Amino acid sequence: MADIAAPAPNWLDRLRPKSIGRLVTTILLFLGAWVMVFPFIWMISSSLKPTDEVYDSDFSIIPKTFKGWDNYYGVIFEQPYLIFLMNSMIVCLGILLIQLVTAIPAAYALAKLKFRGSTILFGTVIAAITIPINVTSIPLYIGLVRVGLLDTYFAMMFPFIVSVFAIFLFRQFFRGFPDSIIQAARVDGFSEIEIILRLILPSAVPAIAAFSVFSFVAHWNDLYWPLIVVQSQDKMTATLSMMQYQSAFDTDYGRTYASATVVTAPMVIAFLFARRLFIRGITMTGVKG
Amino acid sequence: MARLELTNIKKSFGDTAVLHDISLDVSDGEFVSLVGQSGCGKSTLLRIIAGLETPDSGDILLDGKSVLNSAPKNRNIAMVFQDYALYPHMSVGENMAMPLVMARLPLYARLPGMRRVTPVGRRAQPQIRAEVEKVASQLRIDHLLDRKPAQLSGGQRQRVALGRSLVRNPQVFLMDEPLSNLDAKLRVQVRAEITELHDTSGLTFIYVTHDQVEAMTMSDRVALLQTGHLLQVGQPNALYADPANLDVARFIGSPEINIAAGERLADGVKLGDVTLPVGVDGTGPVQVGIRPEAISVSNAAGLAALEQPVKGPALSFTKRMIEDLGPEVLIHGHFTHAPDGLVRIRAQKSGVYGETGALSRAKTLQVMLNPEQLLFFDAEGQRLSAKALAATTTTTTAGAA
């Protein structure tokens, strides 16, 4: 009977920290979470404000003048927002597809085939991971100008079609695939391409999914390269479209933030639906996007 | 059905030589086991036969034709792997159909999904299915055809692996430790099934194992490898009774052969304070190999006498422990004169074993060695020929002892 008579709000009871250590941990985690979440809150809050209020010294989360409708209406209806989304989609999927087509056979060869120079080749792949895009972007840009392919989907995808990171990731993953199955397949008459298609690929689904999430998010969020090679509005990606409200003389911050919110939204929604996949993608690739 | 000849196969990985000049002839329909400790090169040799590794030198002939430069699939050799190597994402039926699909359909028709769409694929499909079902029912796995390998027990997977190799009607059947992942009871059962499969199919079998019992019980001939050298090839009994050297004698037989230090004298081999009436070439120290059943204990201990009781010099034996194996016992201990050498004796129980309790009470036993069953090796472990000396010598030495 004493059990039933016990203090009623047991949800509060559950929240009560079990020890000082736990309390400290919780506070630290809470602060960490705040650091992560605050920029988003700020972004959403600013997207509802008029420009002059965004960097007002008298800062508040709740906008004093609500300009949310104007900002969002402008972003979604006064510019071809769906075209931007489609451009982002085409570029991200295109990059991902070609990355998979190039990386999987390369990774299989590095992981499972014995050939002269494979160690050196793999070392080169590792070394290539360290080269940032900024180093190669000028020669790439000049090259694209020369062949007259600036402002095309091809130009937006070209630098990313071979991902050394994908080669590295898949190579590590494929190394765990049993050699005996590959040998059995060779005895049974599989060609190497069939070994990849019929045996390696089905077993690599987790790695492929993980890398897909990683690659898709990275290129969805990429501002740098589209900014360099895209000139016309009909080739703009969603992320790039945020830049439209900036000019040398004046920046409409309210709309820029509204635009940022709208661009982030598809990723956030996708994350909510496929949270497990995202987390696996980020932990497996070992890189926070 | 094929005769397989290996001539002077050599293989090294980097600086490590794995196989030194291996030559082996396997006749049509023969069951040959490659046996040896792990790392002796037996699996490498098997993979060379399969075409998964290329030897540095030497040749592989199948029915007199070199297959050295043919790809594994063109050798018409089937292989069963230790971990079964089933294709994890395919059903049992698909697993078994794969070798036929690969052999009969052109590349475009066997890509995933294309078999049902292309005319060639659709024409070949019923025949492939019929053949898979036939082999499946032979191996009693026809009810499992729709399952995935992960849903099967070890024994069932083993059978699927056998089935996948059988459907293609191979000329030579290679098996790489196929029983080592099974539990002990199942192992005995599958062992019998493989032997039966060999008898009914009449195929040439090459079987790799580290377990000498498997090799001895299943094969027509056993090839013993050690550190890349072929030590001896012969019928199981020949390897047991007539080993070429000490390594072979040690490897074959369970429990292991007992080794005692002896001395070659003019009138026989001196072991402790007895002289065995055996003439061995040369003089000086000799290693005496004594199989556990070559030693007999007096039947006072409750043990059955040997069919032909050994008359000869008795040795004193200090008992340490008895292992009761049911119909027989294994007595662990050492010859009293040589406390360092572990000696095991295998003896049949008599009807009175256990009633008298004589064996468990005894600390020292008088044991006799059967001179005809003893093996002699020189200091390097090479076998020495031996012949029994005249019976008169026996009695005199017995008297002397």
Side-chain angles (χ1 to χ4, degrees):
Chain A
M1 293 310 270
D3 286 0
I4 296 168
N10 64 1
W11 61 271
L12 246 183
D13 224 38
R14 233 183 297 144
L15 286 179
R16 197 171 60 201
K18 302 231 160 40
S19 66
I20 298 288
R22 285 264 185 119
L23 183 69
V24 172
T25 316
T26 311
I27 290 171
L28 282 177
L29 285 174
F30 185 80
L31 287 177
W34 179 248
V35 169
M36 296 290 158
V37 172
F38 180 72
F40 287 93
I41 295 175
W42 190 28
M43 175 180 81
I44 293 166
S45 151
S46 302
S47 73
L48 304 173
K49 295 172 178 174
T51 294
D52 51 352
E53 209 185 295
V54 170
Y55 290 109
D56 198 4
S57 55
D58 185 17
F59 177 79
S60 87
I61 295 279
I62 312 291
K64 291 189 204 94
T65 328
F66 184 78
K67 257 198 103 198
W69 287 120
D70 286 1
N71 287 344
Y72 281 97
Y73 187 87
V75 168
I76 297 173
F77 296 110
E78 285 175 6
Q79 56 165 359
Y81 175 64
L82 285 178
I83 300 274
F84 300 152
L85 277 188
M86 190 191 73
N87 287 342
S88 276
M89 222 42 155
I90 291 173
V91 170
C92 290
L93 287 178
I95 288 173
L96 175 62
L97 197 74
I98 306 172
Q99 278 178 338
L100 292 177
V101 168
T102 52
I104 289 172
Y108 170 73
L110 287 173
K112 290 296 182 189
L113 301 183
K114 275 184 269 176
F115 57 93
R116 210 174 280 270
S118 65
T119 331
I120 294 170
L121 213 56
F122 183 60
T124 317
V125 169
I126 297 279
I129 291 180
T130 61
I131 301 171
I133 169 123
N134 314 51
V135 172
T136 52
S137 53
I138 293 173
L140 277 171
Y141 179 79
I142 295 171
L144 288 167
V145 172
R146 290 275 165 82
V147 290
L149 283 171
L150 226 49
D151 205 25
T152 57
Y153 289 128
F154 177 81
M156 291 152 89
M157 297 186 217
F158 183 65
F160 310 108
I161 55 177
V162 176
S163 164
V164 278
F165 177 66
I167 295 173
F168 174 71
L169 177 78
F170 290 139
R171 186 250 185 194
Q172 297 306 92
F173 193 84
F174 293 167
R175 270 163 65 91
F177 194 83
D179 282 325
S180 62
I181 294 184
I182 295 175
Q183 291 176 347
R186 288 194 187 130
V187 173
D188 279 351
F190 284 63
S191 62
E192 297 298 311
I193 288 292
E194 282 172 294
I195 291 177
I196 295 175
L197 284 180
R198 309 196 73 129
L199 302 176
I200 303 274
L201 219 48
S203 78
V205 167
I208 293 172
F211 176 73
S212 301
V213 166
F214 167 79
S215 162
F216 199 90
V217 172
H219 294 293
W220 184 277
N221 292 338
D222 184 25
L223 180 64
Y224 177 76
W225 188 250
L227 190 59
I228 291 174
V229 294
V230 174
Q231 291 151 341
S232 60
Q233 207 190 26
D234 65 321
K235 288 289 186 319
M236 267 188 192
T237 59
T239 314
L240 186 58
S241 75
M242 294 190 310
M243 304 297 287
Q244 290 185 98
Y245 305 103
Q246 272 183 356
S247 68
F249 313 105
D250 178 41
T251 301
D252 189 340
Y253 281 113
R255 288 208 176 178
T256 304
Y257 281 113
S259 180
T261 311
V262 166
V263 167
T264 319
M267 282 293 120
V268 173
I269 293 167
F271 175 76
L272 291 180
F273 278 103
R275 199 164 41 164
R276 222 173 266 182
L277 205 63
F278 268 70
I279 290 170
R280 195 164 57 186
I282 287 159
T283 47
M284 189 184 274
T285 51
V287 176
K288 214 184 123 305
Chain B
M1 304 273 269
R3 173 160 179 243
L4 179 74
E5 288 161 85
L6 305 178
T7 48
N8 308 95
I9 301 280
K10 285 180 193 163
K11 175 80 182 170
S12 355
F13 290 121
D15 295 336
T16 349
V18 206
L19 293 172
H20 309 266
D21 205 11
I22 304 274
S23 296
L24 182 66
D25 247 1
V26 181
S27 46
D28 186 17
E30 200 180 14
F31 193 131
V32 171
S33 288
L34 302 176
V35 64
Q37 274 142 2
S38 43
C40 71
K42 56 194 192 298
S43 286
T44 307
L45 186 59
L46 197 73
R47 283 210 297 277
I48 286 175
I49 300 171
L52 296 167
E53 303 271 4
T54 326
D56 298 338
S57 66
D59 203 356
I60 307 155
L61 305 174
L62 209 59
D63 276 336
K65 279 189 290 259
S66 172
V67 292
L68 199 59
N69 295 316
S70 1
K73 58 176 177 183
N74 299 329
R75 297 191 183 189
N76 207 6
I77 281 174
M79 184 156 171
V80 175
F81 292 81
Q82 180 173 2
D83 56 2
Y84 320 132
L86 299 178
Y87 309 134
H89 300 274
M90 298 183 195
S91 68
V92 167
E94 275 293 284
N95 260 286
M96 289 175 65
M98 270 308 132
L100 299 180
V101 169
M102 291 298 154
R104 289 178 195 177
L105 295 181
L107 181 63
Y108 72 90
R110 59 193 205 217
L111 290 172
M114 293 302 278
R115 225 180 322 152
R116 286 194 192 83
V117 189
T118 53
V120 213
R122 290 169 70 147
R123 245 177 290 131
Q125 191 75 338
Q127 178 64 26
I128 290 175
R129 179 164 309 170
E131 284 174 46
V132 167
E133 276 167 8
K134 187 171 147 247
V135 173
S137 66
Q138 228 175 54
L139 293 165
R140 295 186 295 279
I141 48 172
D142 36 351
H143 59 292
L144 303 173
L145 287 178
D146 293 326
R147 300 234 194 126
K148 290 275 166 68
Q151 297 168 291
L152 305 180
S153 69
Q156 288 168 333
R157 281 182 214 181
Q158 171 69 66
R159 249 171 259 198
V160 176
L162 283 174
R164 187 177 66 185
S165 315
L166 275 175
V167 281
R168 57 191 300 204
N169 252 324
Q171 289 183 295
V172 180
F173 209 93
L174 309 178
M175 284 185 262
D176 191 0
E177 310 227 9
L179 304 185
S180 55
N181 287 358
L182 299 177
D183 61 58
K185 200 172 164 189
L186 205 54
R187 205 175 296 170
V188 177
Q189 187 193 330
V190 179
R191 204 159 81 191
E193 283 175 13
I194 291 178
T195 315
E196 197 188 317
L197 187 67
H198 173 247
D199 293 344
T200 52
S201 68
L203 295 174
T204 308
F205 273 45
I206 299 189
Y207 187 97
V208 160
T209 179
H210 64 273
D211 181 354
Q212 52 101 9
V213 179
E214 270 174 32
M216 299 287 281
T217 49
M218 298 169 77
S219 20
D220 297 323
R221 276 194 306 153
V222 176
L224 184 64
L225 280 108
Q226 193 179 52
T227 56
H229 295 276
L230 194 56
L231 291 187
Q232 195 175 355
V233 188
Q235 290 175 350
N237 190 48
L239 259 68
Y240 185 79
D242 191 17
N245 58 41
L246 192 55
D247 289 323
V248 177
R250 277 224 165 99
F251 193 85
I252 304 287
S254 171
E256 208 181 289
I257 194 167
N258 304 302
I259 306 295
E263 183 80 25
R264 281 172 286 192
L265 301 175
D267 59 344
V269 174
K270 191 166 180 297
L271 194 67
D273 43 1
V274 304
T275 304
L276 301 160
V278 187
V280 179
D281 296 342
T283 52
V286 66
Q287 305 194 66
V288 187
I290 313 161
R291 293 280 180 202
E293 60 277 357
I295 310 175
S296 59
V297 183
S298 68
N299 37 0
L303 299 171
L306 294 178
E307 275 177 33
Q308 289 166 318
V310 183
K311 296 272 189 321
L315 256 170
S316 174
F317 177 86
T318 310
K319 185 198 79 182
R320 274 186 226 159
M321 182 183 95
I322 305 169
E323 266 183 78
D324 195 330
L325 303 175
E328 58 186 25
V329 288
L330 214 53
I331 308 166
H332 295 246
H334 55 83
F335 292 128
T336 312
H337 73 272
D340 294 335
L342 174 68
V343 172
R344 277 161 297 207
I345 303 173
R346 195 210 306 267
Q348 303 291 315
K349 285 179 190 172
S350 82
V352 296
Y353 176 81
E355 287 171 29
T356 63
L359 185 60
S360 48
R361 275 197 308 276
K363 287 220 174 64
T364 38
L365 301 166
Q366 291 303 304
V367 298
M368 277 166 285
L369 308 181
N370 186 353
E372 283 164 25
Q373 280 178 290
L374 299 180
L375 305 166
F376 297 91
F377 305 94
D378 66 15
E380 278 78 47
Q382 287 308 307
R383 176 83 183 279
L384 298 169
S385 66
K387 60 178 195 299
L389 295 178
T392 45
T393 332
T394 314
T395 43
T396 47
T397 42

